[in-house]
Amino acid sequence: GWVGVMLLCAGAVQAEVRVEVPGDFQILAVSDGKVQDEQHGVLADGAQQLLVRYEGVIPSRNSSDNDRQIRSEPQVIRFEARGQSVRLQAAVPTDEKGMERYAKAPVVSLLVGDKPLKVQQESLVVNGMQIGMDWHARLMEYNRGTGKAVLAATAAAALAPSVPASELEGQLQQLFLRADPE
């Protein structure tokens, strides 16, 4: 069993960020990682995004009616974490009117332990049917835009060869100094 133990240890080096959301939220997609189920995701270290939706349920007053579901637009939440467990926290009202108000403008925070992370949050407006939606594709599409929770680095990283920023700055400075005054 030595090899197995060694492999397990080697695998543990890859740090990851674990995210958990409360029962009335749903993880639709993550920028880089995997959605384990509606409440749990595992993401790579660094700047990442979570695509979540608030989904409140108002129990029916009598047995013949269905429970009512109140859903928010999907929310893109950009944050940065390394090897931490992050949980989403939201102060959702418990009354029907309050839940409806909240769903129109959901505010969430992400906590590591009891310390809040700095987050950027923006609604991802989806027109039309959401059933069978490829949420990861939608998130990537969102990142090609200019929203405030866009992960800009991903696009740049994919295109540019990985040169440390300091080197790039040096190169730019050289070019600048060589350029004509015009």
Side-chain angles (χ1 to χ4, degrees):
W2 265 110
V3 178
V5 172
M6 296 302 285
L7 284 173
L8 277 175
C9 293
V13 177
Q14 169 86 46
E16 57 187 20
V17 175
R18 296 187 167 277
V19 176
E20 187 177 345
V21 304
D24 50 0
F25 279 80
Q26 203 188 1
I27 300 177
L28 301 170
V30 295
S31 49
D32 180 10
K34 63 174 192 283
V35 179
Q36 292 171 309
D37 59 41
E38 293 189 345
Q39 266 76 53
H40 300 88
V42 177
L43 288 79
D45 275 352
Q48 291 294 353
Q49 288 164 317
L50 203 54
L51 185 63
V52 297
R53 178 167 60 192
Y54 164 68
E55 226 169 75
V57 175
I58 294 165
S60 68
R61 295 203 176 79
N62 57 45
S63 52
S64 61
D65 291 342
N66 286 332
D67 295 346
R68 253 190 75 212
Q69 275 197 330
I70 298 178
R71 280 188 176 161
S72 74
E73 292 281 6
Q75 301 294 306
V76 180
I77 299 160
R78 191 184 76 212
F79 66 98
E80 197 160 328
R82 294 181 189 282
Q84 291 157 307
S85 283
V86 176
R87 62 196 171 80
L88 182 141
Q89 197 181 48
V92 182
T94 49
D95 63 297
E96 193 164 339
K97 292 255 179 316
M99 284 162 83
E100 282 171 352
R101 262 199 319 273
Y102 179 83
K104 285 189 181 75
V107 176
V108 303
S109 50
L110 294 180
L111 301 180
V112 170
D114 50 11
K115 282 202 280 297
L117 282 175
K118 197 165 161 279
V119 298
Q120 286 289 349
Q121 179 183 345
E122 186 170 44
S123 290
L124 179 74
V125 179
V126 180
N127 300 315
M129 292 291 284
Q130 297 189 8
I131 294 163
M133 177 75 71
D134 181 343
W135 289 113
H136 191 260
R138 282 311 306 259
L139 185 57
M140 294 305 109
E141 197 179 302
Y142 169 85
N143 281 331
R144 289 196 286 275
T146 54
K148 67 172 185 180
V150 160
L151 261 191
T154 49
L159 301 173
S162 54
V163 181
S166 52
E167 261 181 62
L168 273 176
E169 271 167 38
Q171 287 170 12
L172 284 172
Q173 214 168 349
Q174 291 298 317
L175 287 170
F176 182 73
L177 295 172
R178 266 188 248 138
D180 296 331
E182 286 95 68

